[in-house]
Amino acid sequence: MVSEAFRGEFYQKVDSKARVSIPAALRRILEVEDPATAESPREENARARVYMVYGGKNRNFVECYSRAGADALAAKIEAMDLGSPERDRAERDLISRSVMIEVEPDGRIVLPAKVRAKMGFGSDEAGEAAFAGF
């Protein structure tokens, strides 16, 4: 269950090494909604994770989910009729075409090549990423 919604728009610089800072408000949600960080204080090196869905060719954006959000999305897909075209498409575009990234201690992540391509960045191109809550 989502504890708090990520709201607003935040624009963050992406450097030439594809590093981008996750907005602090989103980092707090990622930490709270990830059992590795929220419930395991004994794991000092546990890092929050962000799940980035870059989807199929019809998408021109990337969606970010917390661990709890990614699990809820997977549960919705698993509830669909097995073998249905809708479930097959959802599994391919929302599960297979996604990536899990650990947030570094400084609050940054490195965008994988497929995510950069979906966002319109070249392999060593700097720019700006928009994080928009809903």
Side-chain angles (χ1 to χ4, degrees):
M1 196 66 170
V2 176
S3 60
E4 185 176 329
F6 174 62
R7 303 192 190 283
E9 288 183 342
F10 300 84
Y11 296 88
Q12 304 287 97
K13 300 253 186 246
V14 178
D15 70 15
S16 62
K17 294 181 182 178
R19 296 176 300 200
V20 63
S21 291
I22 300 290
L26 179 55
R27 283 198 316 268
R28 298 296 84 80
I29 292 169
L30 295 174
E31 290 166 357
V32 167
E33 295 188 2
D34 191 335
T37 56
E39 298 171 4
S40 302
R42 68 184 180 280
E43 294 184 37
E44 294 175 18
N45 295 328
R47 295 183 186 166
R49 296 168 283 190
V50 60
Y51 295 77
M52 302 183 89
V53 177
Y54 54 87
K57 62 184 172 196
N58 294 328
R59 278 180 171 248
N60 60 357
F61 58 94
V62 175
E63 288 180 285
C64 295
Y65 290 92
S66 65
R67 168 72 189 270
D71 288 349
L73 177 63
K76 286 180 185 178
I77 293 170
E78 289 171 5
M80 296 176 169
D81 292 334
L82 190 61
S84 70
E86 295 81 13
R87 180 173 173 163
D88 290 346
R89 186 172 32 259
E91 286 175 337
R92 181 183 62 247
D93 289 348
L94 302 176
I95 303 296
S96 297
R97 294 179 178 153
S98 68
V99 63
M100 181 273 295
I101 304 166
E102 288 187 346
V103 179
E104 297 293 330
D106 64 0
R108 293 189 302 181
I109 60 171
V110 176
L111 299 172
K114 290 187 179 193
V115 171
R116 287 194 313 268
K118 184 61 69 169
M119 295 172 70
F121 292 109
S123 61
D124 60 353
E125 185 178 354
E128 191 171 60
F131 289 84
F134 61 92

